Amino acid sequence: MTPATSTPRPKPVPRPTDSTRPYWDAAARGELWIQRSVTTGTYVFYPRTVSPFGAGDELEWVRVSGLATLDSYVINHRPAPGFEAPHVIAIVKLEEGPRMLSTVVGVDPVPEQLVLDMPLRVDFEPRGDMSLPVFRPAEEGEAL
């Protein structure tokens, strides 16, 4: 009996909805866009159809800097479909304030290299016909 060979599974691809389409369209252009309250100027993330700041408030889509800091992370040692282990799953705090779940790339997945509050910048990983925001260490001189 010969061992079964398996074809590696691709990474999952998100399915945009009406409320998330502007986010994914921007990512496809290599830009990070999130929503901001028209009334308060406060940025919000995750994409939503209703403002968390009150019924009279509206949300607008705006391009943000793509700069962030590492807020928290876990090093995943169990390979998920399409991912190689270990990889870093992180909560990053955008320069504009909101936190988002993402992946940190371009750094060894070891605690010594993943310093909390380290400066990060957005990058985009092609996946199928889409691009997903990921974060990598910021270059020297990139301001936060």
Side-chain angles (χ1 to χ4, degrees), residues 10-14 125-132:
K11 291 180 180 178
V13 177
E125 176 184 289
R127 197 170 304 171
D129 58 352
M130 300 185 72
S131 290
L132 275 72

Side-chain angles (χ1 to χ4, degrees), residues 73-89:
Y73 70 91
V74 63
I75 300 170
N76 186 5
H77 291 276
R78 298 184 140 223
F83 290 86
E84 291 183 26
H87 67 275
V88 181
I89 302 166

Side-chain angles (χ1 to χ4, degrees), residues 2-6:
T2 60
T5 59
S6 62

